[in-house]
Short mmCIF file of all heavy atoms in Angstrom, two decimals:
data_model
loop_
_atom_site.label_atom_id
_atom_site.label_comp_id
_atom_site.label_asym_id
_atom_site.label_seq_id
_atom_site.Cartn_x
_atom_site.Cartn_y
_atom_site.Cartn_z
N MET A 1 -9.38 -4.83 -26.87
CA MET A 1 -7.99 -5.26 -27.08
C MET A 1 -7.04 -3.84 -26.83
O MET A 1 -7.34 -2.91 -27.46
CB MET A 1 -7.93 -5.70 -28.59
CG MET A 1 -6.71 -6.32 -28.93
SD MET A 1 -6.51 -6.88 -30.62
CE MET A 1 -7.60 -8.27 -30.81
N ASP A 2 -5.98 -4.14 -26.10
CA ASP A 2 -5.14 -2.96 -25.97
C ASP A 2 -4.10 -3.02 -27.03
O ASP A 2 -4.05 -3.87 -27.88
CB ASP A 2 -4.49 -2.90 -24.50
CG ASP A 2 -3.31 -4.02 -24.32
OD1 ASP A 2 -3.04 -4.60 -25.31
OD2 ASP A 2 -2.92 -4.31 -23.28
N ILE A 3 -3.30 -1.91 -27.04
CA ILE A 3 -2.42 -1.66 -28.25
C ILE A 3 -1.47 -2.75 -28.39
O ILE A 3 -1.21 -3.26 -29.50
CB ILE A 3 -1.83 -0.25 -28.08
CG1 ILE A 3 -2.88 0.85 -28.18
CG2 ILE A 3 -0.74 -0.10 -29.20
CD1 ILE A 3 -2.33 2.19 -27.84
N GLU A 4 -0.81 -3.16 -27.34
CA GLU A 4 0.13 -4.34 -27.34
C GLU A 4 -0.37 -5.52 -28.01
O GLU A 4 0.16 -6.17 -28.79
CB GLU A 4 0.70 -4.67 -26.01
CG GLU A 4 2.01 -3.90 -25.74
CD GLU A 4 2.72 -4.36 -24.56
OE1 GLU A 4 3.12 -5.47 -24.57
OE2 GLU A 4 2.94 -3.50 -23.54
N GLU A 5 -1.69 -5.93 -27.51
CA GLU A 5 -2.42 -7.07 -28.06
C GLU A 5 -2.65 -6.81 -29.58
O GLU A 5 -2.53 -7.83 -30.47
CB GLU A 5 -3.66 -7.24 -27.40
CG GLU A 5 -3.45 -8.01 -26.02
CD GLU A 5 -4.80 -8.06 -25.25
OE1 GLU A 5 -5.82 -7.67 -25.83
OE2 GLU A 5 -4.74 -8.42 -24.07
N GLU A 6 -3.13 -5.64 -29.99
CA GLU A 6 -3.26 -5.31 -31.32
C GLU A 6 -1.98 -5.60 -32.25
O GLU A 6 -2.13 -6.11 -33.19
CB GLU A 6 -3.65 -3.80 -31.51
CG GLU A 6 -5.14 -3.63 -31.51
CD GLU A 6 -5.51 -2.16 -31.72
OE1 GLU A 6 -5.16 -1.45 -32.67
OE2 GLU A 6 -6.20 -1.54 -30.84
N ILE A 7 -0.88 -4.96 -31.69
CA ILE A 7 0.31 -5.35 -32.49
C ILE A 7 0.75 -6.76 -32.55
O ILE A 7 1.10 -7.25 -33.57
CB ILE A 7 1.55 -4.52 -31.76
CG1 ILE A 7 1.23 -2.89 -31.79
CG2 ILE A 7 2.84 -4.78 -32.42
CD1 ILE A 7 2.20 -2.08 -31.08
N ARG A 8 0.47 -7.41 -31.47
CA ARG A 8 0.83 -8.88 -31.40
C ARG A 8 -0.10 -9.58 -32.53
O ARG A 8 0.45 -10.43 -33.22
CB ARG A 8 0.47 -9.51 -30.12
CG ARG A 8 1.59 -9.34 -29.14
CD ARG A 8 1.40 -10.15 -27.90
NE ARG A 8 1.93 -9.66 -26.73
CZ ARG A 8 1.26 -9.00 -25.78
NH1 ARG A 8 0.08 -9.06 -25.76
NH2 ARG A 8 1.99 -8.51 -24.78
N ASP A 9 -1.27 -9.14 -32.55
CA ASP A 9 -2.32 -9.76 -33.44
C ASP A 9 -1.87 -9.45 -34.85
O ASP A 9 -1.73 -10.33 -35.79
CB ASP A 9 -3.60 -9.07 -33.21
CG ASP A 9 -4.74 -9.99 -33.53
OD1 ASP A 9 -4.60 -11.22 -33.32
OD2 ASP A 9 -5.69 -9.55 -34.16
N TYR A 10 -1.49 -8.21 -35.12
CA TYR A 10 -1.10 -7.76 -36.55
C TYR A 10 0.13 -8.55 -36.95
O TYR A 10 0.23 -8.92 -38.09
CB TYR A 10 -0.71 -6.27 -36.38
CG TYR A 10 -0.44 -5.53 -37.60
CD1 TYR A 10 -1.54 -5.30 -38.65
CD2 TYR A 10 0.79 -5.31 -38.13
CE1 TYR A 10 -1.25 -4.75 -39.87
CE2 TYR A 10 1.15 -4.80 -39.45
CZ TYR A 10 0.07 -4.58 -40.17
OH TYR A 10 0.40 -3.96 -41.43
N PHE A 11 1.17 -8.72 -36.08
CA PHE A 11 2.25 -9.33 -36.49
C PHE A 11 2.24 -10.94 -36.27
O PHE A 11 3.21 -11.62 -36.45
CB PHE A 11 3.57 -8.79 -35.79
CG PHE A 11 4.01 -7.40 -36.35
CD1 PHE A 11 3.68 -6.39 -35.50
CD2 PHE A 11 4.40 -7.30 -37.60
CE1 PHE A 11 3.95 -5.05 -36.01
CE2 PHE A 11 4.85 -5.95 -38.04
CZ PHE A 11 4.55 -5.00 -37.09
N THR A 13 2.21 -12.64 -33.52
CA THR A 13 3.20 -13.08 -32.59
C THR A 13 2.83 -13.02 -31.14
O THR A 13 1.96 -12.15 -30.84
CB THR A 13 4.53 -12.21 -32.91
OG1 THR A 13 5.44 -12.70 -31.91
CG2 THR A 13 4.29 -10.83 -32.57
N GLU A 15 5.10 -12.58 -28.59
CA GLU A 15 6.10 -11.77 -27.94
C GLU A 15 6.52 -10.59 -28.76
O GLU A 15 6.92 -10.69 -29.92
CB GLU A 15 7.28 -12.67 -27.69
CG GLU A 15 7.99 -12.65 -26.37
CD GLU A 15 7.30 -11.99 -25.20
OE1 GLU A 15 6.62 -12.73 -24.48
OE2 GLU A 15 7.45 -10.82 -24.99
N ILE A 16 6.40 -9.32 -28.23
CA ILE A 16 6.98 -8.38 -28.95
C ILE A 16 7.96 -7.63 -27.89
O ILE A 16 7.82 -7.44 -26.84
CB ILE A 16 5.86 -7.19 -29.47
CG1 ILE A 16 4.92 -6.79 -28.20
CG2 ILE A 16 5.19 -7.70 -30.80
CD1 ILE A 16 4.05 -5.79 -28.76
N ASN A 17 9.10 -7.27 -28.55
CA ASN A 17 10.04 -6.80 -27.73
C ASN A 17 10.32 -5.24 -27.89
O ASN A 17 11.12 -4.75 -28.66
CB ASN A 17 11.44 -7.48 -28.06
CG ASN A 17 12.42 -7.46 -26.95
OD1 ASN A 17 12.06 -6.98 -25.89
ND2 ASN A 17 13.60 -7.95 -27.15
N LEU A 18 9.25 -4.56 -27.23
CA LEU A 18 9.25 -3.09 -27.43
C LEU A 18 10.31 -2.46 -26.28
O LEU A 18 10.29 -3.07 -25.32
CB LEU A 18 7.98 -2.54 -27.29
CG LEU A 18 6.97 -2.92 -28.42
CD1 LEU A 18 5.59 -2.29 -27.95
CD2 LEU A 18 7.36 -2.24 -29.70
N PRO A 19 10.83 -1.39 -26.71
CA PRO A 19 11.63 -0.66 -25.67
C PRO A 19 10.63 -0.32 -24.42
O PRO A 19 9.41 0.03 -24.63
CB PRO A 19 12.12 0.45 -26.24
CG PRO A 19 11.82 0.49 -27.64
CD PRO A 19 10.92 -0.66 -27.87
N ASP A 20 11.14 -0.24 -23.20
CA ASP A 20 10.28 0.23 -22.09
C ASP A 20 9.51 1.51 -22.22
O ASP A 20 8.45 1.76 -21.82
CB ASP A 20 11.13 0.23 -20.79
CG ASP A 20 11.73 -1.19 -20.51
OD1 ASP A 20 11.03 -2.11 -20.63
OD2 ASP A 20 12.94 -1.19 -19.96
N SER A 21 10.26 2.38 -22.94
CA SER A 21 9.63 3.76 -23.11
C SER A 21 8.36 3.68 -23.94
O SER A 21 7.53 4.34 -23.64
CB SER A 21 10.62 4.79 -23.79
OG SER A 21 11.22 4.46 -24.84
N MET A 22 8.45 2.92 -25.06
CA MET A 22 7.39 2.68 -25.92
C MET A 22 6.25 1.98 -25.20
O MET A 22 5.08 2.28 -25.28
CB MET A 22 7.85 1.89 -27.15
CG MET A 22 7.14 1.96 -28.27
SD MET A 22 6.66 3.63 -28.81
CE MET A 22 8.14 4.07 -29.68
N LYS A 23 6.57 1.06 -24.32
CA LYS A 23 5.58 0.28 -23.59
C LYS A 23 4.74 1.33 -22.64
O LYS A 23 3.53 1.37 -22.63
CB LYS A 23 6.09 -0.79 -22.62
CG LYS A 23 6.53 -1.97 -23.46
CD LYS A 23 7.01 -3.14 -22.50
CE LYS A 23 7.64 -4.12 -23.29
NZ LYS A 23 8.59 -4.92 -22.52
N LEU A 24 5.56 2.20 -22.00
CA LEU A 24 4.84 3.11 -21.10
C LEU A 24 4.15 4.17 -21.95
O LEU A 24 2.99 4.74 -21.39
CB LEU A 24 6.00 3.95 -20.29
CG LEU A 24 6.24 3.32 -18.85
CD1 LEU A 24 6.64 1.92 -18.91
CD2 LEU A 24 7.14 4.13 -18.07
N LEU A 25 4.58 4.55 -23.04
CA LEU A 25 3.97 5.51 -23.88
C LEU A 25 2.59 4.83 -24.37
O LEU A 25 1.54 5.56 -24.32
CB LEU A 25 4.79 5.83 -25.16
CG LEU A 25 4.70 7.18 -25.78
CD1 LEU A 25 4.90 8.35 -24.63
CD2 LEU A 25 5.57 7.49 -26.93
N MET A 26 2.55 3.65 -24.58
CA MET A 26 1.39 2.84 -25.01
C MET A 26 0.34 2.81 -23.86
O MET A 26 -0.91 2.99 -23.90
CB MET A 26 1.63 1.53 -25.57
CG MET A 26 2.29 1.51 -26.95
SD MET A 26 2.55 -0.19 -27.35
CE MET A 26 2.90 0.23 -29.08
N ASN A 27 0.99 2.53 -22.63
CA ASN A 27 0.05 2.58 -21.38
C ASN A 27 -0.60 3.86 -21.25
O ASN A 27 -1.92 4.01 -20.95
CB ASN A 27 0.90 2.48 -19.99
CG ASN A 27 1.46 0.98 -19.90
OD1 ASN A 27 2.46 0.73 -19.37
ND2 ASN A 27 0.73 -0.06 -20.73
N LEU A 28 0.14 4.98 -21.45
CA LEU A 28 -0.43 6.41 -21.44
C LEU A 28 -1.46 6.59 -22.41
O LEU A 28 -2.59 7.07 -22.09
CB LEU A 28 0.65 7.34 -21.57
CG LEU A 28 0.29 8.80 -21.41
CD1 LEU A 28 0.21 9.14 -19.91
CD2 LEU A 28 1.36 9.64 -22.01
N LYS A 29 -1.23 6.09 -23.54
CA LYS A 29 -2.16 6.23 -24.76
C LYS A 29 -3.50 5.66 -24.39
O LYS A 29 -4.54 6.18 -24.46
CB LYS A 29 -1.57 5.69 -25.96
CG LYS A 29 -2.38 6.01 -27.19
CD LYS A 29 -1.40 5.67 -28.37
CE LYS A 29 -2.19 5.19 -29.71
NZ LYS A 29 -3.10 6.16 -30.16
N ASP A 30 -3.39 4.32 -23.84
CA ASP A 30 -4.54 3.56 -23.53
C ASP A 30 -5.34 4.18 -22.44
O ASP A 30 -6.50 4.44 -22.39
CB ASP A 30 -4.13 2.15 -23.01
CG ASP A 30 -4.00 1.37 -24.18
OD1 ASP A 30 -4.26 1.56 -25.32
OD2 ASP A 30 -3.28 0.19 -23.98
N LYS A 31 -4.54 4.60 -21.35
CA LYS A 31 -5.20 5.09 -20.05
C LYS A 31 -5.99 6.39 -20.35
O LYS A 31 -7.04 6.62 -19.80
CB LYS A 31 -4.07 5.34 -19.17
CG LYS A 31 -4.42 6.09 -17.87
CD LYS A 31 -4.98 5.12 -16.69
CE LYS A 31 -5.28 5.90 -15.49
NZ LYS A 31 -6.08 5.13 -14.62
N PHE A 32 -5.43 7.22 -21.14
CA PHE A 32 -6.14 8.51 -21.52
C PHE A 32 -6.72 8.63 -22.74
O PHE A 32 -7.11 9.73 -23.24
CB PHE A 32 -5.05 9.68 -21.28
CG PHE A 32 -4.59 9.86 -19.86
CD1 PHE A 32 -3.44 9.07 -19.39
CD2 PHE A 32 -5.15 10.67 -19.06
CE1 PHE A 32 -2.94 9.28 -18.02
CE2 PHE A 32 -4.83 10.93 -17.66
CZ PHE A 32 -3.69 10.10 -17.34
N ASN A 33 -6.90 7.63 -23.41
CA ASN A 33 -7.77 7.49 -24.77
C ASN A 33 -7.12 8.51 -25.67
O ASN A 33 -7.89 9.21 -26.28
CB ASN A 33 -9.17 7.82 -24.54
CG ASN A 33 -9.85 6.51 -24.02
OD1 ASN A 33 -9.68 5.55 -24.36
ND2 ASN A 33 -10.76 6.74 -22.96
N ILE A 34 -5.81 8.52 -25.85
CA ILE A 34 -5.16 9.47 -26.68
C ILE A 34 -5.40 8.83 -28.17
O ILE A 34 -4.78 7.73 -28.34
CB ILE A 34 -3.74 9.66 -26.37
CG1 ILE A 34 -3.66 10.26 -24.95
CG2 ILE A 34 -3.07 10.66 -27.39
CD1 ILE A 34 -2.15 10.34 -24.43
N LEU A 35 -5.92 9.54 -28.95
CA LEU A 35 -6.16 9.07 -30.42
C LEU A 35 -4.90 9.20 -31.20
O LEU A 35 -4.71 8.33 -32.06
CB LEU A 35 -7.23 9.81 -31.13
CG LEU A 35 -8.56 9.57 -30.37
CD1 LEU A 35 -9.80 10.39 -31.00
CD2 LEU A 35 -8.99 8.11 -30.23
N ASP A 36 -4.03 10.21 -31.06
CA ASP A 36 -2.79 10.50 -31.80
C ASP A 36 -1.91 9.32 -31.64
O ASP A 36 -1.75 8.79 -30.48
CB ASP A 36 -2.11 11.70 -31.25
CG ASP A 36 -1.49 12.44 -32.46
OD1 ASP A 36 -0.85 11.69 -33.30
OD2 ASP A 36 -1.44 13.59 -32.55
N SER A 37 -1.22 8.74 -32.72
CA SER A 37 -0.38 7.68 -32.38
C SER A 37 0.96 8.06 -32.72
O SER A 37 1.88 7.35 -32.65
CB SER A 37 -0.78 6.45 -33.30
OG SER A 37 -1.22 6.69 -34.62
N ASN A 38 1.28 9.34 -32.95
CA ASN A 38 2.52 9.95 -33.20
C ASN A 38 3.23 9.95 -31.88
O ASN A 38 2.70 10.74 -31.02
CB ASN A 38 2.47 11.24 -33.91
CG ASN A 38 3.75 11.88 -34.13
OD1 ASN A 38 4.47 12.06 -33.20
ND2 ASN A 38 3.98 12.27 -35.22
N ALA A 39 4.33 9.35 -31.60
CA ALA A 39 5.01 9.41 -30.17
C ALA A 39 5.45 10.72 -29.80
O ALA A 39 5.20 11.09 -28.62
CB ALA A 39 6.36 8.32 -30.36
N HIS A 40 5.87 11.48 -30.82
CA HIS A 40 6.37 12.87 -30.52
C HIS A 40 5.14 13.78 -30.06
O HIS A 40 5.24 14.40 -28.94
CB HIS A 40 7.01 13.54 -31.68
CG HIS A 40 7.47 14.97 -31.49
ND1 HIS A 40 8.57 15.25 -30.72
CD2 HIS A 40 6.87 16.14 -31.87
CE1 HIS A 40 8.60 16.59 -30.57
NE2 HIS A 40 7.64 17.17 -31.31
N ALA A 41 3.95 13.57 -30.65
CA ALA A 41 2.83 14.35 -30.23
C ALA A 41 2.26 13.82 -28.84
O ALA A 41 1.90 14.77 -28.04
CB ALA A 41 1.71 14.17 -31.37
N ILE A 42 2.39 12.60 -28.61
CA ILE A 42 1.90 12.16 -27.34
C ILE A 42 2.88 12.65 -26.24
O ILE A 42 2.31 13.11 -25.10
CB ILE A 42 1.98 10.60 -27.19
CG1 ILE A 42 0.99 10.02 -28.31
CG2 ILE A 42 1.48 10.15 -25.74
CD1 ILE A 42 1.06 8.44 -28.44
N LEU A 43 4.12 12.65 -26.58
CA LEU A 43 5.09 13.27 -25.52
C LEU A 43 4.79 14.80 -25.30
O LEU A 43 4.85 15.25 -24.17
CB LEU A 43 6.57 13.08 -25.94
CG LEU A 43 7.28 11.88 -25.63
CD1 LEU A 43 8.64 11.81 -26.33
CD2 LEU A 43 7.17 11.52 -24.12
N SER A 45 1.97 16.19 -25.42
CA SER A 45 0.85 16.33 -24.67
C SER A 45 0.98 16.32 -23.10
O SER A 45 0.11 16.67 -22.33
CB SER A 45 -0.20 15.31 -25.05
OG SER A 45 0.07 14.02 -24.44
N ILE A 46 2.18 15.84 -22.75
CA ILE A 46 2.39 15.98 -21.32
C ILE A 46 3.21 17.05 -20.86
O ILE A 46 3.49 17.38 -19.76
CB ILE A 46 3.23 14.66 -20.69
CG1 ILE A 46 4.66 14.61 -21.35
CG2 ILE A 46 2.49 13.43 -21.05
CD1 ILE A 46 5.59 13.60 -20.55
N LYS A 56 -1.45 13.15 -16.60
CA LYS A 56 -0.63 12.24 -17.42
C LYS A 56 0.74 12.17 -16.90
O LYS A 56 1.27 11.04 -16.81
CB LYS A 56 -0.56 12.85 -18.89
CG LYS A 56 -1.90 12.63 -19.62
CD LYS A 56 -1.61 13.26 -21.09
CE LYS A 56 -2.94 13.36 -21.83
NZ LYS A 56 -2.93 14.24 -22.88
N TYR A 59 0.69 9.89 -13.98
CA TYR A 59 0.56 8.65 -14.19
C TYR A 59 1.79 8.04 -14.81
O TYR A 59 2.28 6.87 -14.25
CB TYR A 59 -0.53 8.37 -15.31
CG TYR A 59 -0.71 7.01 -15.92
CD1 TYR A 59 -1.44 6.02 -15.16
CD2 TYR A 59 -0.20 6.69 -17.12
CE1 TYR A 59 -1.71 4.72 -15.60
CE2 TYR A 59 -0.34 5.44 -17.61
CZ TYR A 59 -0.97 4.39 -16.85
OH TYR A 59 -1.06 3.17 -17.31
N LEU A 60 2.48 8.71 -15.57
CA LEU A 60 3.80 8.33 -16.28
C LEU A 60 4.83 8.11 -15.06
O LEU A 60 5.54 7.17 -15.09
CB LEU A 60 4.41 9.38 -17.14
CG LEU A 60 4.05 9.21 -18.48
CD1 LEU A 60 4.67 10.30 -19.44
CD2 LEU A 60 4.61 7.80 -19.07
N LYS A 63 4.31 4.95 -13.29
CA LYS A 63 4.72 3.87 -14.08
C LYS A 63 6.33 3.79 -14.07
O LYS A 63 6.89 2.67 -14.15
CB LYS A 63 4.35 3.97 -15.56
CG LYS A 63 2.74 3.86 -15.63
CD LYS A 63 2.57 2.32 -15.49
CE LYS A 63 1.11 1.93 -15.36
NZ LYS A 63 0.88 0.54 -15.00
N ILE A 64 7.00 4.93 -14.13
CA ILE A 64 8.47 4.83 -14.14
C ILE A 64 9.00 4.23 -12.83
O ILE A 64 9.92 3.47 -12.79
CB ILE A 64 9.10 6.33 -14.28
CG1 ILE A 64 8.83 6.76 -15.74
CG2 ILE A 64 10.53 6.34 -14.08
CD1 ILE A 64 8.99 8.25 -15.96
N GLU A 66 7.26 2.17 -10.89
CA GLU A 66 6.97 0.79 -10.82
C GLU A 66 8.14 0.04 -11.57
O GLU A 66 8.54 -1.10 -11.18
CB GLU A 66 5.67 0.70 -11.64
CG GLU A 66 4.65 -0.20 -11.07
CD GLU A 66 3.43 -0.22 -11.93
OE1 GLU A 66 3.47 -0.69 -13.00
OE2 GLU A 66 2.32 0.42 -11.46
N LEU A 166 15.13 5.93 -19.44
CA LEU A 166 13.69 6.01 -19.42
C LEU A 166 13.20 7.29 -18.90
O LEU A 166 12.26 7.85 -19.44
CB LEU A 166 13.11 4.77 -18.60
CG LEU A 166 11.60 4.63 -18.52
CD1 LEU A 166 11.29 4.12 -20.02
CD2 LEU A 166 11.21 3.57 -17.38
N SER A 169 13.73 9.95 -21.55
CA SER A 169 13.05 9.71 -22.76
C SER A 169 11.66 10.44 -22.52
O SER A 169 11.13 10.85 -23.48
CB SER A 169 12.84 8.32 -23.14
OG SER A 169 11.94 7.64 -22.17
N PHE A 170 11.08 10.64 -21.40
CA PHE A 170 9.82 11.23 -21.20
C PHE A 170 10.06 12.73 -21.04
O PHE A 170 9.19 13.59 -21.38
CB PHE A 170 9.08 10.62 -20.10
CG PHE A 170 8.58 9.41 -20.50
CD1 PHE A 170 9.00 8.11 -19.89
CD2 PHE A 170 7.54 9.22 -21.38
CE1 PHE A 170 8.59 6.96 -20.23
CE2 PHE A 170 7.08 7.88 -21.79
CZ PHE A 170 7.54 6.87 -21.28
#
Side-chain angles (χ1 to χ4, degrees):
M1 195 187 282
D2 74 10
I3 294 168
E4 264 190 64
E5 280 171 5
E6 267 180 52
I7 295 175
R8 279 195 208 107
D9 206 40
Y10 184 77
F11 289 105
T13 178
E15 218 22 84
I16 48 168
N17 204 4
L18 288 174
D20 296 323
S21 58
M22 199 50 80
K23 286 183 193 157
L24 263 60
L25 215 54
M26 285 176 168
N27 288 158
L28 181 78
K29 190 169 149 59
D30 279 345
K31 170 88 180 164
F32 289 88
N33 283 323
I34 302 172
L35 298 176
D36 209 324
S37 39
N38 173 311
H40 179 74
I42 301 172
L43 275 180
S45 79
I46 67 163
K56 288 178 190 161
Y59 176 77
L60 264 180
K63 289 284 166 189
I64 290 171
E66 227 174 70
L166 189 65
S169 70
F170 289 110

